[in-house]
């Protein structure tokens, strides 16, 4: 390999450090978010109220960030359509399912289920020719999926399992996978992550506000003390970081690496649920978490190899 080619490979590998860091940081925020949602229920916040006000706060934070960078969200008709559809599948519907299910199936289980999208995203990306098929990355996706499958199977076999909430929770990853592909295929031209993220969050806030029109779905926040408000503020910053990193990862790493955000979230979220929230460890936790971690490593390393070979 020539000196210039070697430099190209080195540069590409350095570039892969950016999506890897986005993956690890964004996944950690997802794991934290699921546990905050459980705690919110324990202090009297409904899933819809907690999600709506947190998303609204995150939209304000990211809009301010975009304003400071002079990268305000576009208001063209195609971009508004992009915000609306992406917000529906990637934020509003999927997160409302997850936050509503947490009191019934636990934060640890939801954190694990959020790591299911890799296989669905990978298959769709292959069919749509967004990604090239590689055995190493395919093996990584299957490993991550197998890890979640082990844990989900044990959850179904539990004597106190709520079948309705387990099945509904499993619908969430399908929406996330659809969102991963949609945002990749229809990413508006010449718009940055910091411009798209607030637009999507504002659209999600509007959609969740419409849900509050349904009877028994309120946006009321208990004001007995400042704890609920403080938790909403913390979650708003978590969401702001999570969705900004999501767009950065999507732009630099592609939809398949993006879909592993949930896998990293599971590795972070489950220990937090066990040690800080007092949940019982899911059966098969060691095997499942090990397979998930292996999947993240293989898919990431596979991306590095692709970058290296393209520079030869």
């Amino acid at each position: 390999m020539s000196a210039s080619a070697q430099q190209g490979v080195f540069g590409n590998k350095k570039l892969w450090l950016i999506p890897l860091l986005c993956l690890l940081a964004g996944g950690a925020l997802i794991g934290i978010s699921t546990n905050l949602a459980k705690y919110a229920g324990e202090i009297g916040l409904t899933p819809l109220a907690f999600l709506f006000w947190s998303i609204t706060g995150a939209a304000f934070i990211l809009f301010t960030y975009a304003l400071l960078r002079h990268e305000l969200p576009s208001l063209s008709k195609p971009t508004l359509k992009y915000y609306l559809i992406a917000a529906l599948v990637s934020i509003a519907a999927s997160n409302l399912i997850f936050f509503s299910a947490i009191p019934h199936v636990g934060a640890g289980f939801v954190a694990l289920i959020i790591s299911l999208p890799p296989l669905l995203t990978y298959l769709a990306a292959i069919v749509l020719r967004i990604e090239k098929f590689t055995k190493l990355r395919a093996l990584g996706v299957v490993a991550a999926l197998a890890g979640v499958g082990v844990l989900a199977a044990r959850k179904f076999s539990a004597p106190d399992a709520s079948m309705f909430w387990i099945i509904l929770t499993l619908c969430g990853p399908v929406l996330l996978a659809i969102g991963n592909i949609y945002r990749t295929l229809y990413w508006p031209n010449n718009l940055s992550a910091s411009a798209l993220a607030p637009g999507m969050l504002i659209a999600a806030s509007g959609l969740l506000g419409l849900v509050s029109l349904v009877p028994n779905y309120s946006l009321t926040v208990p004001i007995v003390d400042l704890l609920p408000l403080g938790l909403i503020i913390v979650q708003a910053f978590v969401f702001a970081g999570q969705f900004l990193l999501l767009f950065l990862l999507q732009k630099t790493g592609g939809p398949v690496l993006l879909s592993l955000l949930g896998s990293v979230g599971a590795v972070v979220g489950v220990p937090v649920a066990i040690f800080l929230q007092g949940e019982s460890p899911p059966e098969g936790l060691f095997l499942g978490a090990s397979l998930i971690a292996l999947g993240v490593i293989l898919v990431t390393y596979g991306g590095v190899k692709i970058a290296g070979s393209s520079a030869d």
Side-chain angles (χ1 to χ4, degrees), residues 82 86 89-90 114 116-118 120-122 124 130 173-187 246 250 254-262:
Y82 178 88
V89 293
S90 301
I114 293 176
L116 273 175
L120 300 175
T121 305
Y122 185 75
I130 299 174
V174 177
L175 294 175
L176 292 178
I178 292 172
N180 291 340
I181 294 297
Y182 176 80
R183 292 193 312 275
T184 298
L185 287 177
Y186 298 100
W187 185 293
L246 179 145
Q250 179 150 9
V256 176
L257 190 62
L258 172 73
S259 69
L260 288 173
L261 272 171

Side-chain angles (χ1 to χ4, degrees), residues 25-41 45 47 50-51 54-55 58 90-91 94-96 98-100 102-103 106-108 110-112 114 201 231-232 234-243 261-262 264-266 268-270 272-273 277 279:
L29 290 176
I30 290 175
I32 293 170
S33 177
T34 55
N35 282 279
L36 290 177
K38 179 179 181 179
Y39 186 62
L45 279 165
F50 183 56
L51 185 59
S54 300
I55 289 293
S90 301
I91 303 178
S94 53
N95 279 284
L96 188 56
F98 292 137
F99 280 30
S100 299
I102 283 172
V110 170
L112 291 165
I114 293 176
L201 286 172
L231 190 65
I232 287 172
V234 171
Q235 180 67 70
F237 277 97
V238 169
F239 269 146
Q242 176 184 324
F243 287 108
L261 272 171
V264 179
V268 174
V270 174
V272 172
Q277 303 247 43
E279 289 190 3

Side-chain angles (χ1 to χ4, degrees), residues 13 21 23 32 53 62 94 109 114 125 136 138 173 192 223 234 239 264-265 277 290 293 306 308:
K13 288 184 178 179
L21 292 176
L23 173 64
I32 293 170
W53 292 112
L62 290 183
S94 53
F109 181 70
I114 293 176
L136 189 62
S192 66
I223 53 174
V234 171
F239 269 146
V264 179
Q277 303 247 43
S290 298
I306 292 173

Side-chain angles (χ1 to χ4, degrees), residues 2-273:
S2 65
S4 60
Q6 288 178 342
Q7 186 176 3
V9 173
F10 180 72
N12 279 326
K13 288 184 178 179
K14 284 185 66 176
L15 288 176
W16 266 93
L17 182 63
I18 296 174
L20 178 58
L21 292 176
C22 290
L23 173 64
L24 296 177
L29 290 176
I30 290 175
I32 293 170
S33 177
T34 55
N35 282 279
L36 290 177
K38 179 179 181 179
Y39 186 62
E42 294 174 352
I43 63 173
L45 279 165
T46 65
L48 178 62
F50 183 56
L51 185 59
F52 171 80
W53 292 112
S54 300
I55 289 293
T56 302
F60 175 78
I61 293 168
L62 290 183
F63 185 84
T64 303
Y65 176 71
L67 181 63
L68 293 174
R69 290 175 56 89
H70 304 288
E71 295 179 344
L72 290 177
S74 169
L75 297 180
S76 66
K77 186 176 179 180
T79 309
L80 290 174
K81 178 182 176 182
Y82 178 88
Y83 295 149
L84 188 63
I85 297 176
L88 176 63
V89 293
S90 301
I91 303 178
S94 53
N95 279 284
L96 188 56
I97 287 174
F98 292 137
F99 280 30
S100 299
I102 283 172
H104 304 278
V105 299
F109 181 70
V110 170
L112 291 165
I113 290 305
I114 293 176
S115 61
L116 273 175
L119 181 61
L120 300 175
T121 305
Y122 185 75
L123 292 175
I126 293 298
V127 171
L128 297 173
R129 297 182 180 179
I130 299 174
E131 293 265 349
K132 292 182 179 180
F133 177 84
T134 63
K135 293 181 180 179
L136 189 62
R137 301 192 91 189
L139 180 61
V141 171
V142 172
L145 181 68
V148 178
V150 168
L151 294 155
R154 299 294 180 90
K155 189 71 174 180
F156 270 115
S157 64
D160 59 343
S162 173
M163 301 301 288
F164 170 78
W165 284 107
I166 293 174
I167 293 172
L168 183 62
T169 304
L170 291 172
C171 294
V174 177
L175 294 175
L176 292 178
I178 292 172
N180 291 340
I181 294 297
Y182 176 80
R183 292 193 312 275
T184 298
L185 287 177
Y186 298 100
W187 185 293
N189 293 328
N190 303 319
L191 286 181
S192 66
S194 56
L196 291 175
M200 189 176 72
L201 286 172
I202 292 170
S205 177
L207 291 171
L208 291 168
L210 291 176
V211 176
S212 69
L213 300 177
V214 178
N216 300 322
Y217 283 86
S218 173
L219 300 179
T220 303
V221 175
I223 53 174
V224 177
D225 54 44
L226 294 178
L227 184 57
L229 179 60
L231 190 65
I232 287 172
I233 292 173
V234 171
Q235 180 67 70
F237 277 97
V238 169
F239 269 146
Q242 176 184 324
F243 287 108
L244 181 59
L245 288 168
L246 179 145
F247 274 102
L248 288 172
L249 177 59
Q250 179 150 9
K251 192 67 173 177
T252 57
V256 176
L257 190 62
L258 172 73
S259 69
L260 288 173
L261 272 171
S263 300
V264 179
V267 174
V268 174
V270 174
V272 172

